Amino acid sequence: FYMSRIGIRMLIGQYLALREEKEEGYVGLVSQFTSPAEVAKAAIEDAEFMCTRQHGDAPIVTLHGRLDLNFQYVPTHLHYILLELLKNSMRATVEFHGVDDMPPIRVVIADGESNEDIVIKVSDEGGGIPRSHAPRIWSYLFTTADPSVQQGAIGGGGAGFYTGSPPPRPGGGPPPPPP
């Protein structure tokens, strides 16, 4: 379901973007000149904000490699991927080292021969994932985060979905009758 959701979202987004007024350098959602360095900088800034909000501080992230590189890609997808990797990396680094002695996280952008392949590597010293988790790491909802952190992130249960019960009233008592 989750993989088809991504494909369906891409197809619908591309269709709608092609029907709108053209944006310079774009064909629908696809940028003709996606800069992985610029997208990484934006994702780093977003991840630092989230990490600082959650843990009080964030590790420094350094960019290395082909910072001048451009390629055709969907920048919003690259940002989402990098943001998720950086959030995981920052959380693991803070939990493993504490906020007082955090080593930097490295993001390396590299290209292959004839500029045919592009690799973006996020490297940290966050302690890694135990081998016993290996069979599950590609599951959509898998995480190594502490359950208490997860509960805080989704508001204490329900994952933000309507459960059919009205929210509690500030003064107590039954909810008002429907109109």
Side-chain angles (χ1 to χ4, degrees):
F1 166 74
Y2 297 111
M3 293 305 290
S4 63
R5 182 178 162 264
I6 294 168
I8 291 168
R9 182 170 184 239
M10 177 66 188
L11 288 171
I12 292 170
Q14 181 70 358
Y15 173 79
L16 293 173
L18 288 170
R19 297 184 57 91
E20 295 173 357
E21 189 174 319
K22 288 190 176 195
E23 187 175 337
E24 179 94 22
Y26 277 80
V27 176
L29 297 174
V30 181
S31 170
Q32 300 297 300
F33 308 102
T34 300
S35 166
E38 292 304 315
V39 174
K41 286 176 189 174
I44 290 166
E45 185 177 320
D46 292 344
E48 284 175 341
F49 174 80
M50 292 177 194
C51 186
T52 301
R53 187 180 63 201
Q54 182 70 32
H55 299 287
D57 201 1
I60 293 171
V61 180
T62 57
L63 271 174
H64 305 274
R66 288 289 311 274
L67 305 183
D68 61 332
L69 188 66
N70 289 310
F71 70 116
Q72 297 175 358
Y73 202 73
V74 181
T76 54
H77 288 195
L78 183 58
H79 180 273
Y80 179 78
I81 293 165
L82 287 173
L83 178 61
E84 291 301 314
L85 290 172
L86 288 163
K87 285 187 331 187
N88 291 344
S89 183
M90 287 181 179
R91 180 184 54 79
T93 300
V94 169
E95 288 176 359
F96 193 75
H97 293 279
V99 293
D100 297 327
D101 188 30
M102 296 180 288
I105 295 168
R106 294 174 46 97
V107 176
V108 180
I109 301 168
D111 64 340
E113 287 187 36
S114 305
N115 210 15
E116 299 241 350
D117 299 310
I118 297 168
V119 176
I120 303 173
K121 179 174 89 168
V122 177
S123 176
D124 65 56
E125 296 177 36
I129 298 174
R131 290 185 194 270
S132 60
H133 292 321
R136 300 179 313 189
I137 62 172
W138 298 112
S139 298
Y140 185 75
L141 296 175
F142 173 77
T143 183
T144 59
D146 182 343
S148 64
V149 171
Q150 294 175 52
Q151 189 171 15
I154 60 175
F161 300 116
Y162 178 71
T163 59
S165 302
R169 293 172 43 91

